[in-house]
Every structure is written in structure tokens, then in C-alpha cells.
Amino acid sequence: AQSVTQLGSHVSVSEGALVLLRCNYSSSVPPYLFWYVQYPNQGLQLLLKYTTGATLVKGINGFEAEFKKSETSFHLTKPSAHMSDAAEYFCAVSGPGGYQKVTFGTGTKLQVIP
Amino acid sequence: DAMVIQNPRYQVTQFGKPVTLSCSQTLNHNVMYWYQQKSSQAPKLLFHYYDKDFNNEADTPDNFQSRRPNTSFCFLDIRSPGLGDAAMYLCATSSEAGRNQPQHFGDGTRLSIL
């Protein structure tokens, strides 16, 4: 079985400050991990994914995430927050089996303060 | 641009009156998914298709059904909507049944029940 825990349902940062959104996972198979972003009244958009290889993954909009197996973590970071980053962020882990079924975390709503 | 399109974006129906939500894709993806997302919650998978192979989640209510007449289209039918079915419904696709494939989401249909 797989699960995802996102610490902090709401995170507030000042514009220009570091963004850090935390995600810890549990998986019975080597994990494939994803971060998605959801803007109000829109669907989810892929930010980045980790499958195999390099553990530091770069995504769109200046975001990156580092896979740390020893800590079972996949935290999302961005060096400098922009007002347009205000959205909800979901971490997800891909389940075992042939289909691409994911388990989503409960989401973290990011607020950027001017 | 290739994409996933959901119609309508907003749907209002009466308690107990059947409603159908539609999803189309120009990505030519094998796999299509339907999710239910309630406010400030993670998307919850209702069912998915791999080509015409239908897969129902164990906890999806019998009130919810789906049809996929061809690769491009998928429909969600709610036979007798209750107040608890008010939610955002998201359609997604992925290119093949591989764990490393991200999902591509439509912008959702927000369903209200009167």
C-alpha cells in the first residue's frame, strides 16, 4: 500500500522568500513521486516528477524537489516566491501494479504575502 | 494544443435528477480517469479506463456510472444525485499503463445540487 503525508494544510510566505512544502511518502514498491499544482477552479497541473535517476528534480515555474529515500521525503522548494505561486499543491505517489493510479496527499494551500 | 476538455465547467441539477458530465481528449491517451474533489480535499478516484477496460474503485457509490464510447470521449453519469455529490469532478488521462506516466487533467466540472 502507498500513502502520502503533506505537513501543513496552509503555508504562508512573503513574496521573494523561500517556499518549502513538505511531503513524506510510504510505498510498498520503489516510489514514483509527483507534485501537482491546482489554481482556483482549475484542474491539476504537473509541476515535476521523480521516477528513477537523479534525486534532485527540476520542474516548471522554478520549482524543484529532492527525493530522499532515507527520509522517505520528497519536499518541494522554490528559492523565491512569486505572487503567482499562490495555489494548492498536491504531492502524489504512484501505486503498485500496471496502471498509473496515484494516491494524493491532502494538499497544501500556499499563500504569498506581498 | 493537445488537451483534456470538460464540459460544462459548471453544472446545476436538482436533487435526484440524473446528470451527465463529459470529457474529451485530443492526446490520444489510453487511460482515462474520473475523480471527485470536494472543497479543500485531495481528488478521490472514482474509476478509470484502460482502453475499454473499465475499473471501478471499491468505494465508488453505485449511483455513479461511466461510459467510454471511444478513445476520445468519456462520460460520468450520476443517476440520482444527492446533496453529498456536490463537488468538482475532474477528468484526467495518461499515455499508457505505466507507473511513471503523469496524468493530464481537465479544468473540471463543478456540480451543484439544488
Side-chain angles (χ1 to χ4, degrees), chain B:
Chain B
D1 282 344
M3 52 201 308
V4 180
I5 302 165
Q6 292 188 244
N7 284 306
R9 293 294 315 278
Y10 300 91
Q11 177 74 57
V12 181
T13 191
Q14 292 178 333
F15 183 93
K17 186 174 181 182
V19 64
T20 294
L21 310 182
S22 71
C23 176
S24 64
Q25 54 131 341
T26 60
L27 298 161
N28 203 33
H29 283 173
N30 304 69
V31 193
M32 294 187 78
Y33 311 79
W34 278 106
Y35 290 89
Q36 179 192 65
Q37 186 181 27
K38 296 191 175 180
S39 183
S40 299
Q41 295 184 20
K44 177 182 179 296
L45 183 64
L46 295 173
F47 19 63
H48 71 278
Y49 283 90
Y50 179 54
D51 290 329
K52 285 194 174 287
D53 182 21
F54 176 72
N55 297 271
N56 199 33
E57 294 302 296
D59 58 353
T60 297
D62 293 339
N63 202 22
F64 289 80
Q65 296 178 336
S66 183
R67 297 169 282 138
R68 189 180 185 185
N70 53 51
T71 300
S72 301
F73 286 89
C74 196
F75 300 97
L76 171 62
D77 301 308
I78 309 177
R79 286 191 296 182
S80 182
L83 296 178
D85 297 327
M88 173 79 91
Y89 290 87
L90 296 167
C91 174
T93 71
S94 64
S95 63
E96 55 188 61
R99 292 179 56 231
N100 62 339
Q101 298 301 315
Q103 295 185 19
H104 300 256
F105 285 81
D107 281 337
T109 294
R110 186 168 294 282
L111 179 66
S112 299
I113 314 292
L114 299 180

Side-chain angles (χ1 to χ4, degrees), chain A residues 43-78:
Chain A
L44 280 69
Q45 178 184 3
L46 181 70
L47 272 179
L48 48 80
K49 67 175 183 178
Y50 168 78
T51 54
T52 57
T55 57
L56 182 62
V57 181
K58 293 188 185 299
I60 62 171
N61 302 338
F63 284 93
E64 62 183 35
E66 187 170 11
F67 171 65
K68 291 188 176 180
K69 184 178 179 180
S70 60
E71 298 177 10
T72 61
S73 69
F74 190 56
H75 301 331
L76 182 71
T77 61
K78 182 174 180 177

Side-chain angles (χ1 to χ4, degrees), chain A residues 33-46:
Chain A
L33 296 158
F34 306 83
W35 275 100
Y36 288 87
V37 60
Q38 186 177 31
Y39 298 99
N41 292 315
Q42 292 187 22
L44 280 69
Q45 178 184 3
L46 181 70

